[in-house]
């Protein structure tokens, strides 16, 4: 489905899916906004870890973790293709347009990381977008093959690296383990103990200047660490998004039956396998090495499956309710994804960090989802009225103006 806007066709399915993605990613990000990083993997690392919190961990791990970021990555590849095609259709230098956008996205990402929130993905997307440019003319089949090749190869290498950590545990628990081997394993566990978490809680309940200084001095290479950890997941998803765009996935080119198959296999099979792995982690008592390997490696295939399943499910849902008032608000939130993503970071850090509400580490995991509902309400309530008066969201306008080297028309 399309509507006319600013002389170009807008893909309503794309806007709505972006809206659902930016709302969905808050469901996972809320944990990083409000709890020590270790608690994302291990619900017993901080707080009460009562039945509600444990089930909240299980449900988010099975249905949310990595999947909403996956949708974001797919959609970034789609947006990239649309902008390149539109630039070429206008006779513009598509390469110049694309790399100018990626340069400023990288700058926004660094500003976001150092001055707002450590969980930034914009820097990662900027680098990924620069690499993905090389594959823009590949066929649908080639894009899927290249993306799958990168994904499988990188995860096999990661599996070898992460799997080697098991030998640290085996060596430390052996009857004749040396002091060095025991110490190495103890040090690994210490990074996930309560004392480490207390330090993190103290930091984020501190002042704004203390938090920024910590990132400037102790976590300077955070964006690069994120790049090393997530790039080989993100780039394939961008390529898959480009392939889906070329295949007509977002423009009605896929049959209802085909979309349903992706839902059944993606969400159904992926969800069952994820649930089994989550149960194994739970029954292990959230053993550190097991949980780390699961989150970095073993969940990866299921995340990919469920990302495709969610994309197909949302396409069916959007097709069914495209003309409803709710979908119009979701699509408006999607047109302002950049503003809503950064705005959410500002809102949630102001609530949980020490320079605002100072609730970091204070709210039980299960209760955090009430803040998610509040964040959703803000996105849905302000996006549509804003776009009735303006062509773009505030940050979309700034990004577009900087990328084009001139102020773009804002007010309608």
């Amino acid at each position: 489905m399309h509507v006319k806007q600013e002389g170009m066709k807008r893909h309503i399915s794309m806007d709505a899916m972006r809206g659902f993605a930016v709302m969905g990613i808050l469901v996972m990000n809320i944990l990083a906004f409000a709890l020590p990083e270790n608690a994302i993997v291990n619900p017993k690392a901080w707080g009460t870890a009562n039945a509600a919190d444990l089930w909240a961990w299980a449900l988010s791990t099975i249905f949310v973790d990595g999947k909403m970021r996956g949708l974001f990555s797919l959609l970034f590849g789609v947006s990239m293709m649309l902008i390149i095609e539109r630039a070429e259709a206008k006779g513009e230098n598509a390469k110049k347009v694309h790399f100018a956008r990626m340069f400023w996205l990288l700058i926004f990402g660094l500003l976001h990381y150092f001055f707002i929130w450590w969980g930034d993905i914009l820097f990662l997307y900027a680098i990924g977008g620069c690499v993905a440019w090389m594959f823009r003319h590949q066929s649908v089949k080639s894009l899927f093959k290249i993306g799958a090749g990168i994904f499988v190869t990188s995860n096999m290498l990661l599996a070898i690296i992460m799997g080697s950590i098991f030998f640290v545990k085996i060596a430390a628990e052996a009857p004749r383990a040396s002091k060095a081997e025991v110490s190495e394993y103890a040090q690994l566990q210490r990074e996930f103990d309560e004392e480490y978490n207390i330090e993190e809680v103290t930091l984020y309940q501190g002042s704004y200047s203390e938090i920024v200084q910590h990132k400037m001095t102790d976590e300077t290479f955070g964006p690069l660490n994120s790049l090393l950890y997530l790039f080989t997941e993100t780039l394939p998803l961008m390529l898959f998004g480009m392939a889906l765009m070329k295949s007509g996935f977002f423009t009605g080119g896929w049959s209802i039956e085909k979309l349903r198959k992706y839902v059944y296999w993606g969400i159904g099979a992926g969800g069952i396998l994820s649930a089994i792995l989550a149960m194994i982690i739970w029954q292990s008592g959230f053993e550190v090495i097991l949980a780390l390997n699961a989150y970095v490696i073993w969940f990866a295939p299921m995340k990919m499956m469920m990302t495709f399943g969610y994309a197909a499910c949302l396409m069916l849902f959007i097709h069914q309710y495209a003309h409803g008032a709710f979908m119009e608000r979701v699509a408006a939130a999607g047109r302002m994804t950049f503003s809503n993503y950064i705005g959410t970071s500002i809102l949630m850090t102001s609530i949980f960090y020490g320079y605002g509400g100072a609730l970091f580490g204070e709210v039980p995991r299960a209760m955090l989802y009430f803040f998610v509902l509040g964040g959703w309400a803000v996105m849905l309530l302000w996006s549509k009225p804003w776009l009735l008066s303006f062509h773009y969201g505030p940050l979309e306008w700034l990004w577009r103006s900087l990328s084009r080297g001139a102020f773009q028309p804002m007010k309608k």
Side-chain angles (χ1 to χ4, degrees), residues 132-267:
W133 164 267
M134 297 187 296
F135 304 100
R136 68 195 183 282
H137 293 312
Q138 295 290 330
S139 66
V140 171
K141 189 174 182 179
S142 294
L143 286 167
F144 275 120
K145 283 185 175 180
I146 295 167
I150 295 171
F151 180 76
V152 172
T153 303
S154 61
N155 274 280
M156 287 176 65
L157 293 173
L158 273 175
I160 294 171
I161 295 169
M162 292 299 298
S164 66
I165 302 177
F166 277 107
F167 290 104
V168 176
K169 179 184 178 183
I170 293 170
E173 294 178 346
R176 297 182 180 179
S178 67
K179 288 184 179 180
E181 290 169 332
V182 173
S183 176
E184 184 179 3
Y185 183 50
Q187 177 60 36
L188 179 64
Q189 290 183 307
R190 195 172 297 119
E191 293 181 6
F192 292 85
D193 65 17
E194 186 175 355
E195 182 179 346
Y196 185 91
N197 294 330
I198 290 173
E199 291 177 5
E200 188 174 349
V201 171
T202 301
L203 169 68
Y204 288 111
Q205 286 189 347
S207 68
Y208 178 77
S209 60
E210 289 172 333
I211 294 171
V212 171
Q213 183 179 5
H214 170 76
K215 284 187 281 190
M216 290 285 190
T217 56
D218 298 330
E219 301 290 343
T220 310
F221 298 104
L224 292 178
N225 291 335
S226 176
L227 186 66
L228 291 172
Y229 171 53
L230 293 172
F231 185 75
T232 52
E233 171 197 279
T234 302
L235 179 60
L237 282 163
M238 288 181 179
L239 298 182
F240 294 154
M242 294 161 67
L244 289 175
M245 185 65 206
K246 290 187 174 188
S247 73
F249 179 87
F250 296 98
T251 54
W254 285 35
S255 68
I256 299 298
E257 291 73 20
K258 188 174 182 179
L259 290 172
R260 284 175 178 166
K261 285 181 181 179
Y262 270 70
V263 173
Y264 298 148
W265 285 103
I267 300 177

